[in-house]
Amino acid sequence: DKRGRDQLVSLDMRSNDIGPEGGEALFTALGRNLSLTALDLGVLGGVQRNRLGSKACPAMAAALALNTSLTSLSLFGNGMGTEGGRTFAAGLRANTTLRSLDLSLNGLKDEGTNMIAEALESASLESVNLSQNQITKAAVRLSGALASGRLLLQTLNLSYNLIGAHGSTALGHALASNSILGSLNLDKNL
């Protein structure tokens, strides 16, 4: 999708096996880009992944801190891990333009998810997908963010995690004081 001759606004690079080095180069360029609004580096069903891993996360964080045009980012299935989640959260904290973020299937676990949850309180996100990240106790931290009243979040996907009864109860209590969230997906949690 192009607006005018030299303005790329949407880039779909799903399942290209670009690796950490390609990811670093892409995010370094994104930090300087003023027109791209949507970037999809996710996975097409059954096809190879981009495998950005945690090594590309410092470049991602730096790009998020600088970029003022990106509104949608999908990093579905890139193996960021807990360390990558921590690094990525630092850039997310500084970004005010991103509205939609897909971090599903990244192995964030509780540690990475806690850092993302903390960053959500200063971000402008409206939709976040954290499905398939082996989240257990981090749901309690997410519920605290939801209850804070500082989130603009309208859609939150926590499906296919390990949240369980305690986390679900905490999320339920948070929803009692949150009037913005319109959709919460807790499908397939134990």
Side-chain angles (χ1 to χ4, degrees):
D1 186 10
K2 288 185 104 173
R3 282 186 206 155
R5 238 175 114 196
D6 297 325
Q7 292 187 325
L8 181 68
V9 295
S10 179
L11 180 58
D12 184 338
M13 292 188 64
R14 290 176 290 176
S15 297
N16 275 291
D17 200 19
I18 62 175
E21 293 79 16
E24 288 174 333
L26 180 64
F27 280 102
T28 298
L30 181 63
R32 296 185 302 268
N33 183 285
L34 299 175
S35 63
L36 194 67
T37 60
L39 177 59
D40 190 342
L41 294 170
V43 176
L44 291 169
V47 183
Q48 73 186 46
R49 301 172 185 210
N50 277 319
R51 294 171 178 57
L52 299 178
S54 62
K55 187 176 177 190
C57 287
M60 287 181 208
L64 283 177
L66 295 172
N67 185 282
T68 58
S69 63
L70 194 67
T71 58
S72 177
L73 176 61
S74 174
L75 296 168
F76 166 56
N78 272 288
M80 293 168 65
T82 57
E83 184 61 37
R86 182 182 309 117
T87 306
F88 182 83
L92 185 57
R93 236 180 256 102
N95 184 287
T96 58
T97 55
L98 197 62
R99 298 291 181 258
S100 176
L101 177 62
D102 184 349
L103 293 176
S104 58
L105 194 62
N106 267 292
L108 295 174
K109 300 184 180 176
D110 284 334
E111 184 181 344
T113 303
N114 279 332
M115 300 306 291
I116 298 294
E118 184 180 307
L120 288 178
E121 293 188 38
S122 57
S124 299
L125 286 160
E126 296 170 357
S127 176
V128 174
N129 186 343
L130 292 169
S131 66
Q132 302 180 65
N133 273 299
Q134 302 162 343
I135 300 169
T136 60
K137 296 178 183 112
V140 175
R141 176 69 181 98
L142 282 166
S143 63
L146 286 171
S148 73
R150 293 187 295 259
L151 296 185
L152 300 175
L153 210 53
Q154 298 170 15
T155 304
L156 178 59
N157 185 344
L158 296 172
S159 63
Y160 293 91
N161 281 296
L162 306 167
I163 292 173
H166 181 67
S168 296
T169 301
L171 286 166
H173 290 301
L175 292 176
S177 60
N178 181 299
S179 60
I180 297 174
L181 190 69
S183 175
L184 173 62
N185 185 345
L186 291 170
D187 191 32
K188 305 289 187 208
N189 275 280
L190 300 175

